[in-house]
Amino acid sequence: MTRWGEPFRESGALATAAVVDQAQIAIVVIDRFSLLRYWNPFARELFGFVDGRDYAGLSLLDIGIHESDREHASQLARRVLRGEPWEGTFAVLRGDSTWIHVRAQAVPMRNESGEVDGITLIAREALRSGRVEEQYGLLERIGSRLSSSLEFDSTVRGVAGILVPQFADHCFIDLYDHDRLVRQVSMHAEGWTPPPRTWFDVGEEVRYPERHFVTQALRRLETVVSSEYLFETSPSSRSDQVSRQVGVTSAIAAPLRARGELLGVLTLALSGLSPRQKSTYGGFDRDLVGAIASRVALAIDNARLFEEERSTALAFQRSLLPSKLPSLDGLVIAHRYLPAGPLQAHGHGVQTQVGGDFYDAIPLSAGRVGLVIGDVEGRGPHAAAVMGQLRAALRAFALADREPADILRELDEWVRQLGQEDEDGGTWIPSVSCLYMVYDAWSRELSYANAGHAPPLLVTSDSVEKLDLEVTDRMLGVRAKGGAGEDVVYHQADLSLPTGATLVLYTDGLVDRRPVGGTPDPDRALGRLAERVSEVADKDVDEIAEAAVHSVPGELDDDTALMVVRTHYEALALREGWFRSEASTVGEARHLAANTFKEWGMDRDQAELACLLVSEIVTNVVIHATPHPVHREFTGAGVLDSETPSGFGGVADEFDEDWTDLLEAVAAEEADEPAESEDKEFLLRLRRGASAVWVEVFDNDLRLPRIRSAAADDEGGRGLYLVEQLASRWGSRPTPDGKAVWFEMPMHDDGVEEAEKDDEE
C-alpha cells in the first residue's frame, strides 16, 4: 500500500500472526478450562513472564494475578464462558516481584457451531494514558480495597499502593494527632526514596508554609490542584532542591474529612520518575481525587474506631487471663494468648472477636501446682465473660485443695448456671472443654481430670507425641443439653512424667487455622505442630512457645491459648518419716525437722520458727488422730468413707482445736491402752524448694482442723493461730486415707538479707 486507501499488494501482505506479534497490546488466549494456550510477545513483557519457563497449560491465575484479585479473575472467566464480554482492572504480580494494574477486556471465543470454547483477553497497563474509563476503574478498585480491610496500616498503605505508580509518582498521607500533622505514608514510584532530611519522613511532624497548596486545601476544606509555582512555597530549600531534581510537575492535595471532622490530607504528585502521556493534573483529576479522599477518610475513620474497639475488647479479655504466672518450684512455664482476627458477620458488619480460651497455673499446698487449659464454646463478650467467671471459680476450688474430678463436677454445675436466653425462648448453655492437672514436682506424679479437651503434647528427649490420658469425660455443660435427668460423672487418674519432660497444652484454635483458600485440617496441623516443636525441643520454653504458635499457617478464626510447661528437679529435696501418735514422738519429729532444715541451709531463725510450727501441728495429731484408720474414696458421686470415726455421733465433725487435753493426759491414756496406740501413726514430710520449705503431716483422722478463738485463761487453743501468724501459708486437705495439714515457710528472712546487703554497700 503506497497511499491511504490503496489495497495491499498480494506479495507484501502481512500474516495475521505477524500483526499480533508486533501489537503493542497484550493478547492472551485461554481455553474453557482457564488454561493458557497462546500469548503474544507484548503479553510476555506486560505480565513479566520468566524467561525459560513454559506457561502453556498453566492456569490463568498463574500468569501473576495478585492474590487479592484471584476471585475477581475467576469471576471474569465464568462470566465470559457464559458468552458475556467483560472489562475491568486487576493487579498483576510480575516475575520480577513488582506489581502493576492491568486494564483488560475479555471476549468469548466461539467455535464453528457457535459454542464458547475459550477466551481472548486483551490487556494493557492501566492508568498511564489518563483515559477517563481507566480512572473510573481506579476509583472502583480503591473502593474494593478499602472495603476489604479494617486495619489502619494496611488500609492507608493499600490505597497508596494502588495510586502509585498508576496515577501518581508520589503519595503522602498526613493525619492529625491532636494538633500535630504527622506523616503516616510516604510512597514513591520506581522504588525511589527521597534523601534524608529533605521531604518529611513517616512519623515526623509535617509543617507546610502558609501559602503552600496543602495549607490552602486544609483551610478551604476542598481539593486543590497545583501545577505552577510548585517550588516557590516549598517547606525548605532542601525540599525545593529535591523536588526540582526529581522533576515534580503537578500535585493535588485533598483534605480527609469524616463525620464532620478533619482527619488530615492526601497529597499526590507527578514527576519524572515514570513515563506517562500526561504530566499535569486537570479538573477531572481533581474531582476524582476528591472522591477518592472521601472514601479514604471514611475508611481511616472506621479503621481507627475498629482498632479502638478491638483494643478495648482485647484489654478486657487479657484482664481475665493471668498476665504473669508465679515462680513455681520444679516447673518453668511459658504462655501465649492469640486473639482471633476480625469476624465477618453477615448483615452485621465486621465484629471484634473475643473468645473464651483460658489457661492458668495455680500454686497449691506443699509446692504442688494446678495446671489448667480450657475453651468456652462460641465467641463474643458472653464467651469471654463465662471464661472469666469459670477461671475464677476453678481457682477458688483449686486453692481449697479439691480433687481434679471434684473440681470438674463443681464447674459443670457452675457452667449450667451461666446460660443465657436464646431467640427461641430457651436457655443457651455453652459447652466448655477443660483439662485440669495437679503436678507434684518431687514425685513427678500428675493427677488429672479431663472434660473433653485435647491431650497435651509430651516432649521428651526421644519424641514428641500426645500425652496418653487414660480418662476423658464429656465437656462441661453438656448435661443440660442431653436432658435434665442425664448424669455426667467425671473421673480422675494418675500418671508419672519422665525426668525433664515438657508438656505443650493448647486450645483448638492452634490446629483449626484455615489455610488461604482452603479448609482447616486439624490432624495435619497437629502433625506440623509436633514436627516444629521437635525441632526446638532442646530450646527454652519461650522458644518452644514461639515455634508452636507459628507452626501452623493460616488465618486465626478462633482465639488460641497455649502453655509450655517444662519439669525439672533442680533445688528440690524431700525427707519424711513415720512416727507413732505418742507424746514422746513429738520431740523426735521436731529433731528430724531441725536436722533437715540445718542440712538444707535454712536460716537459723527461720528454722527455729519452722520447728516450733512442726511441734504445734504434730501435737494436734497426737492429741486428736483417730485410732482406727479409714479409707476415703473420691468418686463421681462424691467422697465416700469406709468407716466413720467412733465417738462423734456418726458424723465426722470439723476438727476443733482443743488444748484442754494436755500431752501428759495423752501419755497417761497411752499407758492404759498400749495396744490401741500402736495403730496410731502419722507421717511427717519435709520438702525443700528454691526458696521455701513445706511441712506436711498426714494422719488417719477425717476431720479438717479449724482455728478456734481461745479465751485469755485457756491453757490451749492457740496452736493453729500461731501457724497462721508465723507461716507464709498454711492449710489442710483431705486425702484418700484421712487428711494432711501443711504450712510453708521461707528459707531465708528477706529483711535480714536486705539489711546485710546494705551493710556490705
Side-chain angles (χ1 to χ4, degrees):
M1 181 175 69
T2 57
R3 291 197 305 269
W4 179 257
E6 291 186 1
F8 279 109
R9 297 186 180 92
E10 292 296 329
S11 60
L14 293 175
T16 303
V19 174
V20 172
D21 287 346
Q22 296 179 31
Q24 294 300 297
I25 192 168
I27 301 175
V28 178
V29 177
I30 307 161
D31 65 17
R32 63 177 299 102
F33 302 105
S34 297
L35 302 180
L36 299 179
R37 295 306 178 192
Y38 170 81
W39 56 89
N40 68 343
F42 192 84
R44 175 181 291 276
E45 178 183 344
L46 178 67
F47 292 110
F49 285 1
V50 178
D51 291 338
R53 181 180 178 184
D54 185 9
Y55 286 80
L58 296 182
S59 168
L60 167 66
L61 303 179
D62 292 328
I63 67 173
I65 303 297
H66 196 269
E67 185 177 303
S68 60
D69 275 341
R70 291 201 165 197
E71 180 60 29
H72 197 38
S74 298
Q75 292 176 0
L76 173 157
R78 290 193 293 268
R79 179 173 177 177
V80 177
L81 289 174
R82 291 197 301 265
E84 304 175 17
W86 180 92
E87 185 173 0
T89 305
F90 55 86
V92 171
L93 186 65
R94 296 158 59 93
D96 59 0
S97 299
T98 62
W99 63 286
I100 62 172
H101 287 91
V102 170
R103 186 71 178 177
Q105 183 179 12
V107 295
M109 289 179 53
R110 302 181 183 273
N111 55 24
E112 296 179 355
S113 62
E115 296 179 352
V116 177
D117 61 359
I119 300 171
T120 299
L121 186 71
I122 303 173
R124 62 183 179 278
E125 186 176 359
L127 306 173
R128 293 293 178 99
S129 65
R131 294 179 55 179
V132 172
E133 62 271 21
E134 294 181 359
Q135 293 172 336
Y136 276 119
L138 171 70
L139 186 61
E140 174 190 2
R141 174 161 187 80
I142 287 178
S144 175
R145 178 66 181 84
L146 293 176
S147 65
S148 65
S149 174
L150 272 176
E151 295 182 352
F152 175 76
D153 288 339
S154 63
T155 295
V156 294
R157 294 184 183 278
V159 170
I162 292 174
L163 293 171
V164 176
Q166 276 68 36
F167 188 72
D169 293 305
H170 312 275
C171 175
F172 308 101
I173 297 180
D174 306 325
L175 299 179
Y176 280 107
D177 182 4
H178 300 290
D179 295 332
R180 300 168 60 247
L181 194 63
V182 179
R183 179 141 297 172
Q184 302 293 335
V185 171
S186 176
M187 188 170 291
H188 312 276
E190 305 298 329
W192 180 80
T193 302
R197 296 185 300 279
T198 54
W199 290 357
F200 297 108
D201 201 358
V202 173
E204 293 182 348
E205 181 179 0
V206 180
R207 296 177 181 271
Y208 291 107
E210 186 66 23
R211 296 176 55 194
H212 198 276
F213 68 94
V214 174
T215 305
Q216 296 176 13
L218 292 172
R219 184 185 302 116
R220 300 176 188 173
L221 297 180
E222 62 182 29
T223 305
V224 174
V225 176
S226 179
S227 300
E228 300 177 355
Y229 312 110
L230 280 173
F231 310 117
E232 296 180 4
T233 58
S234 295
S236 66
S237 59
R238 292 175 61 87
S239 172
D240 179 26
Q241 182 180 0
V242 171
S243 298
R244 293 178 184 275
Q245 289 176 349
V246 79
V248 175
T249 57
S250 186
I252 298 179
L256 300 172
R257 299 181 66 200
R259 296 185 298 143
E261 180 182 357
L262 181 62
L263 304 180
V265 61
L266 167 67
T267 306
L268 303 175
L270 296 173
S271 69
L273 287 180
S274 58
R276 61 183 77 243
Q277 294 181 11
K278 58 182 295 184
S279 59
T280 59
Y281 290 122
F284 180 84
D285 299 313
R286 178 191 59 205
D287 296 339
L288 177 66
V289 173
I292 291 173
S294 64
R295 288 163 170 77
V296 171
L298 185 60
I300 289 175
D301 188 55
N302 287 338
R304 281 180 165 178
L305 290 175
F306 178 77
E307 289 194 356
E308 182 178 351
E309 174 194 346
R310 180 171 172 79
S311 177
T312 301
L314 293 179
F316 160 69
Q317 176 144 26
R318 291 184 188 278
S319 69
L320 300 176
L321 294 169
S323 58
K324 183 179 180 181
L325 296 178
S327 178
L328 302 166
D329 284 310
L331 292 177
V332 181
I333 300 179
H335 56 93
R336 298 290 186 274
Y337 175 77
L338 302 178
L343 175 65
Q344 299 287 345
H346 299 289
H348 302 284
V350 181
Q351 301 175 348
T352 298
Q353 285 201 80
V354 291
D357 290 18
F358 63 98
Y359 60 87
D360 209 347
I362 309 167
L364 303 179
S365 62
R368 300 176 309 139
V369 179
L371 302 171
V372 60
I373 190 85
D375 186 1
V376 178
E377 174 192 19
R379 303 168 190 166
H382 181 68
V386 170
M387 176 269 288
Q389 297 180 69
L390 194 63
R391 177 175 165 262
L394 188 149
R395 176 171 275 266
F397 294 143
L399 290 174
D401 274 315
R402 307 284 291 274
E403 292 292 318
D406 192 24
I407 289 178
L408 292 191
R409 185 170 57 254
E410 295 283 358
L411 290 180
D412 177 62
E413 181 67 27
W414 189 274
V415 168
R416 289 186 287 112
Q417 295 177 10
L418 298 177
Q420 67 175 3
E421 293 186 2
D422 56 23
E423 297 177 354
D424 300 327
T427 302
W428 176 79
I429 298 175
S431 297
V432 180
S433 68
C434 181
L435 173 62
Y436 178 66
M437 303 184 293
V438 176
Y439 179 66
D440 187 330
W442 285 263
S443 65
R444 301 199 310 275
E445 292 293 323
L446 191 71
S447 300
Y448 69 91
N450 187 13
H453 199 83
L457 293 180
L458 174 63
V459 184
T460 64
S461 57
D462 300 324
S463 64
V464 177
E465 55 189 14
K466 289 183 180 180
L467 182 65
D468 185 15
L469 299 183
E470 180 183 341
V471 297
T472 298
D473 298 308
R474 277 190 276 182
M475 299 171 70
L476 306 176
V478 298
R479 175 163 44 173
K481 296 182 178 182
E486 186 178 359
D487 246 353
V488 176
V489 177
Y490 292 99
H491 306 84
Q492 71 183 58
D494 302 320
L495 54 85
S496 296
L497 294 183
T499 304
T502 300
L503 295 178
V504 179
L505 296 83
Y506 60 92
T507 57
D508 58 6
L510 182 62
V511 295
D512 283 348
R513 294 182 182 178
R514 177 168 48 87
V516 178
T519 57
D521 187 348
D523 292 335
R524 183 179 180 184
L526 183 59
R528 292 178 64 100
L529 171 63
E531 180 181 353
R532 186 69 185 98
V533 167
S534 66
E535 295 173 359
V536 293
D538 57 339
K539 306 295 184 181
D540 60 45
V541 290
D542 279 301
E543 291 187 60
I544 295 177
E546 281 299 305
V549 297
H550 296 106
S551 60
V552 182
E555 299 181 15
L556 276 173
D557 289 335
D558 193 8
D559 56 336
T560 299
L562 173 81
M563 276 205 314
V564 179
V565 181
R566 172 167 289 165
T567 65
H568 66 83
Y569 201 69
E570 299 173 7
L572 302 183
L574 183 144
R575 183 165 296 173
E576 59 185 23
W578 283 96
F579 300 90
R580 291 197 298 177
S581 297
E582 299 175 354
S584 60
T585 61
V586 175
E588 297 177 14
R590 179 174 177 137
H591 183 70
L592 172 65
N595 290 339
T596 302
F597 296 153
K598 182 178 180 180
E599 180 183 331
W600 286 348
M602 193 174 184
D603 287 350
R604 185 178 64 180
D605 292 342
Q606 294 296 104
E608 290 181 356
L609 288 177
C611 288
L612 172 63
L613 302 188
V614 168
S615 297
E616 296 298 337
I617 61 174
V618 168
T619 299
N620 281 330
V621 170
V622 171
I623 295 174
H624 300 289
T626 303
H628 302 291
V630 297
H631 178 72
R632 173 174 289 155
E633 182 180 359
F634 297 94
T635 68
V639 180
L640 299 180
D641 298 329
S642 62
E643 182 179 342
T644 302
S646 59
F648 290 92
V651 179
D653 299 328
E654 285 186 331
F655 178 84
D656 187 0
E657 182 189 9
D658 186 0
W659 280 84
T660 56
D661 298 329
L662 301 179
L663 288 177
E664 291 80 359
V666 173
E669 292 177 4
E670 292 169 354
D672 295 336
E673 300 178 359
E676 185 175 291
S677 64
E678 293 178 358
D679 296 331
K680 298 168 60 178
E681 288 187 327
F682 66 88
L683 170 67
L684 174 64
R685 177 178 293 164
L686 308 174
R687 298 175 184 236
R688 184 194 69 190
S691 59
V693 296
W694 287 270
V695 175
E696 294 178 284
V697 176
F698 298 83
D699 63 56
N700 301 119
D701 193 343
L702 299 179
R703 298 168 298 167
L704 298 180
R706 64 180 177 86
I707 298 176
R708 57 169 292 195
S709 298
D713 56 350
D714 287 345
E715 297 184 14
R718 298 179 180 84
L720 293 182
Y721 177 78
L722 286 175
V723 175
E724 181 185 46
Q725 294 298 311
L726 298 178
S728 299
R729 293 191 303 154
W730 83 280
S732 61
R733 69 177 187 274
T735 64
D737 298 315
K739 71 171 182 296
V741 182
W742 62 273
F743 69 84
E744 176 187 352
M745 180 72 72
M747 294 185 62
H748 308 287
D749 187 342
D750 294 337
V752 173
E753 287 186 351
E754 291 178 2
E756 291 177 353
K757 289 181 181 179
D758 293 339
D759 292 341
E760 291 176 359
E761 293 175 356

